[in-house]
Amino acid sequence: MNPTRILFTDVSSQTWIEEVMLNAESHPGFSESSSWSIQKKQLHGGLSEGVDLIEVNNGALTLSILPSRGMGVWKGAFQGIPLEWKSPVKTPINPAFVNLSERGGLGWLSGFNELICRCGLISNGPPGTDSAGNPLESELTLHGRIANTPAHYVCVELDPAEGGMIKITGRMEEGILFGSHFLLESTLETQIGSSEFLIRDRITNLGPDTAESELLYHINIGPPFLEAGSEFTMPFEEMAPRDPRAAEGVKDFNTYLGPTPDYAEQAYFFLPVCDEKGMTPALLCNKQGDLGFLVTFKKASLPYFTLWKNTLPESGGYVTGLEPAINFPNFRGVEREQGRLLELGSGDSYETEFRISILNHQDSVDEVKQKITKLTEQSLSIIHDQPHDRFS
């Protein structure tokens, strides 16, 4: 049986489905399992008015995808284990209500509550004036625009291969006349009954000239993976704290406090090490070591990694970020000087790939830890105790 494609949104053909439910009843030939479903709906009320939401259930794993917010993943759950964090921003925010320029260019934070959101495509990192860039794009806001860019095309594919694969594809354009013009095509896929999902992105320069691009995946996790005594582990060649505040905690960069009043965020920059397949595992596990959140990313396309620690009280946003990227989230001028900006010729593309896996047994967590230990033994794992000028 060939894959079935269902078009939800296509601005070019004025195709629009506001609400629909796909399941074993509507598509009986897709999978032997009857516990899967895909529901498309639109949220109403408050700052969520008009936000599109796609809820995917593969029978074990549920994911809430936001086409209105750059195909970000709002939250999920695996067999009752929540995949989320408690942001002060409680619901998905329609980008129409997010003013990126407010509060000194920090307006992006007004919509920030996702499990996964993208930072880019023109820039990420702190706001400011980039005098060396295109004058039309010199006033930069926090983490760029793509997370607040609605998809103009959304399609679902039901592929019966391998017991049933669900694929959700969205396309977003970020551009301006006389400036950069990028197309992001993103596909999220998950197998029926799986504890994993994969995201593949392709970014294409649609403009007539070579353009600079940045991209970072802000993957944000709270309890129960994050708690006092939780541990982060990843094989790396070299690591440096982002700033003096991060340097204060460099000896304990891989462990976590519980919710802590007045905690000031810390960030650490890594050069990852990959396995023989070119993949790097980054693991967050709870104190007991029987629950793990694993991000596995392709190092060739995502050569840099940031660990973000923000262990405020839960009402303030108790969270950590595992962030593979094509650059570090410094100001764009710094990344240009360090040669980490991607220059993409007209019509050229780059692709990225990462996988999220939920480990809910100690044996599976230990297996990943052992793999990371072996990869670590093959590298120097240099740790700088102060910010380093090659990193920030």
Side-chain angles (χ1 to χ4, degrees):
M1 181 178 175
N2 293 325
T4 299
R5 293 180 176 83
I6 304 97
L7 188 61
F8 283 179
T9 303
D10 184 9
V11 171
S12 65
S13 65
Q14 286 297 287
T15 301
W16 169 255
I17 297 177
E18 182 168 327
E19 294 196 10
V20 68
M21 172 69 83
L22 311 178
N23 52 28
E25 183 176 348
S26 64
H27 292 78
F30 166 53
S31 173
E32 293 182 359
S33 171
S34 61
S35 59
W36 68 274
S37 65
I38 302 171
Q39 184 178 16
K40 162 71 163 55
K41 59 185 178 181
Q42 192 171 80
L43 302 181
H44 296 286
L47 299 181
S48 294
E49 180 63 38
V51 171
D52 283 346
L53 176 66
I54 299 175
E55 296 183 325
V56 177
N57 180 358
N58 74 6
L61 175 70
T62 62
L63 298 168
S64 297
I65 302 169
L66 299 171
S68 297
R69 294 189 51 81
M71 296 299 290
V73 180
W74 176 28
K75 60 181 179 179
F78 174 67
Q79 295 181 348
I81 302 169
L83 314 177
E84 61 182 1
W85 63 290
K86 301 297 186 183
S87 170
V89 180
K90 300 303 182 186
T91 62
I93 306 300
N94 190 317
F97 300 116
V98 178
N99 180 354
L100 296 175
S101 298
E102 73 176 0
R103 303 182 187 183
L106 299 177
W108 183 90
L109 295 171
S110 298
F112 179 43
N113 64 6
E114 294 101 330
L115 174 70
I116 301 174
C117 68
R118 295 167 180 82
C119 303
L121 299 167
I122 292 173
S123 71
N124 55 48
T129 301
D130 181 14
S131 58
N134 184 324
L136 291 178
E137 299 168 351
S138 62
E139 295 302 321
L140 304 179
T141 58
L142 177 66
H143 287 333
R145 299 180 178 276
I146 195 61
N148 288 280
T149 301
H152 65 267
Y153 174 94
V154 181
C155 182
V156 172
E157 179 178 309
L158 304 177
D159 187 345
E162 303 180 42
M165 294 290 293
I166 296 172
K167 301 179 182 181
I168 313 288
T169 296
R171 297 173 187 162
M172 289 70 58
E173 288 190 29
E174 178 185 340
I176 184 174
L177 181 65
F178 307 129
S180 303
H181 187 188
F182 293 108
L183 169 68
L184 166 63
E185 182 174 36
S186 174
T187 298
L188 182 151
E189 62 182 62
T190 185
Q191 185 177 22
I192 295 297
S194 173
S195 62
E196 302 180 332
F197 63 98
L198 177 73
I199 290 180
R200 290 191 180 97
D201 285 354
R202 178 189 294 114
I203 295 86
T204 302
N205 179 7
L206 300 181
D209 302 313
T210 297
E212 297 173 332
S213 182
E214 294 185 305
L215 177 61
L216 176 144
Y217 294 95
H218 224 302
I219 304 171
N220 310 294
I221 312 102
F225 302 91
L226 180 64
E227 62 181 355
S230 288
E231 180 183 8
F232 166 78
T233 181
M234 184 187 78
F236 62 91
E237 297 176 10
E238 202 169 347
M239 180 275 275
R242 178 183 64 183
D243 51 28
R245 164 58 186 151
E248 295 173 9
V250 72
K251 292 182 180 179
D252 301 309
F253 79 89
N254 62 330
T255 59
Y256 290 86
L257 299 172
T260 305
D262 301 321
Y263 183 90
E265 65 177 1
Q266 296 173 313
Y268 301 92
F269 295 161
F270 295 80
L271 300 180
V273 168
C274 63
D275 62 18
E276 67 281 359
K277 296 181 180 179
M279 306 302 289
T280 297
L283 174 68
L284 174 72
C285 67
N286 66 349
K287 181 180 180 180
Q288 188 70 23
D290 57 3
L291 189 61
F293 188 100
L294 175 64
V295 180
T296 307
F297 58 96
K298 185 175 288 186
K299 179 177 178 284
S301 59
L302 296 167
Y304 305 106
F305 185 92
T306 298
L307 176 66
W308 176 54
K309 300 173 73 173
N310 189 55
T311 52
L312 283 166
E314 291 196 30
S315 61
Y318 183 66
V319 64
T320 190
L322 311 185
E323 304 173 7
I326 69 171
N327 61 279
F328 290 131
N330 298 308
F331 186 66
R332 187 170 69 173
V334 173
E335 293 301 279
R336 182 183 295 110
E337 291 174 0
Q338 293 293 337
R340 290 189 289 261
L341 289 188
L342 182 63
E343 293 193 358
L344 204 60
S346 177
D348 290 343
S349 301
Y350 68 92
E351 298 182 1
T352 63
E353 177 183 317
F354 67 93
R355 183 183 301 274
I356 304 293
S357 307
I358 309 307
L359 314 176
N360 62 342
H361 298 287
Q362 187 159 351
D363 288 347
S364 58
V365 174
D366 288 345
E367 182 179 352
V368 173
K369 284 184 175 181
Q370 291 169 10
K371 177 178 181 176
I372 292 174
T373 297
K374 290 181 180 179
L375 290 172
T376 298
E377 291 171 350
Q378 302 170 18
S379 63
L380 295 175
S381 300
I382 297 170
I383 297 176
H384 299 283
D385 61 4
Q386 296 296 324
H388 195 287
D389 57 9
R390 287 192 294 104
F391 289 78
S392 58

